[in-house]
Amino acid sequence: MNSIETILLNFSEIRRRSIKLWSEIPNEYLNWKPDENAFTIIEMIRHVLEGEHLFHKIVGNRGNLGNYKSPWEGLKYSDLKSELKFAENHRSDFLSMIRGLKESDLESIRIERKEVGQSKTLCDYLNRIAYHESVHTGQMLGYLRTAKIDRPKIWD
């Protein structure tokens, strides 16, 4: 397995576990949040899905977001199935971009985000994207514990 295949496997496993977790959340809790300043459950799910698209655009533009406008802007929250369906093509495009990379791209391409003081190799940046979703998966497990909702076993 080469580096590109390993990165794709990592993204696949992270998303599989996220969906396993999200799917076990009863619909009546989708608007629950632990405090007034937190995301609701459905907002956090969208944040993860939308964030991946944002990161994809950052990678495509080598760091410059330009006049980015989110496809989620103005979209009403509904349920997990709708959120996943809306994100499906964006996810597919993101994974296709990764599949189209050469091994050498992982170190030769740099993501320069001057507005936040970041200069990272593409390999580093892709790992940060995966980490973002993983952190929110852990955060969601904390939400479920606080709300006294059964937590699925995501470590299979």
Side-chain angles (χ1 to χ4, degrees), residues 20-22 24-25 141 144 149-155:
K20 185 174 184 175
L21 172 62
W22 299 338
E24 293 297 317
I25 300 170
L141 287 166
L144 299 184
I149 300 169
D150 287 336
R151 295 173 312 280
K153 294 185 184 350
I154 61 171
W155 302 110

Side-chain angles (χ1 to χ4, degrees), residues 58-124:
I58 289 170
V59 168
N61 293 328
R62 303 302 188 253
N64 180 0
L65 268 177
N67 295 327
Y68 174 77
K69 184 175 178 194
S70 172
W72 280 262
E73 191 174 307
L75 185 66
K76 294 199 182 311
Y77 292 96
S78 58
D79 57 23
L80 176 61
K81 183 178 177 183
S82 298
E83 292 294 328
L84 291 172
K85 182 68 177 160
F86 187 82
E88 195 173 281
N89 289 335
H90 300 295
R91 171 78 171 177
S92 178
D93 290 347
F94 176 63
L95 296 177
S96 290
M97 179 272 300
I98 295 171
R99 275 187 212 94
L101 295 171
K102 297 180 299 222
E103 288 276 324
S104 61
D105 291 339
L106 295 173
E107 293 302 323
S108 67
I109 293 175
R110 294 204 63 86
I111 307 302
E112 303 287 345
R113 298 198 59 215
K114 292 177 181 29
E115 74 280 8
V116 294
Q118 283 184 338
S119 176
K120 307 291 178 194
T121 65
L122 178 57
C123 185
D124 183 332

Side-chain angles (χ1 to χ4, degrees), residues 2-3 6 8 11 21 28 30 33 35 37 45 58 63 71-72 78 82 86 89 101 106 119 134 140 150:
N2 66 33
S3 297
T6 301
L8 287 165
F11 275 107
L21 172 62
E28 61 266 23
L30 291 177
K33 58 184 177 177
D35 62 65
N37 296 317
I45 291 168
I58 289 170
W72 280 262
S78 58
S82 298
F86 187 82
N89 289 335
L101 295 171
L106 295 173
S119 176
S134 298
M140 187 70 75
D150 287 336

Side-chain angles (χ1 to χ4, degrees), residues 4 10 18-19 21 29 64 66 74 77 93-94 99-100 113 117 127 131 135 137 142-143 146 149 155-156:
I4 302 294
N10 192 37
S18 291
I19 291 172
L21 172 62
Y29 285 94
N64 180 0
Y77 292 96
D93 290 347
F94 176 63
R99 275 187 212 94
R113 298 198 59 215
N127 280 300
Y131 183 70
V135 165
T137 299
Y143 270 36
T146 300
I149 300 169
W155 302 110
D156 50 14

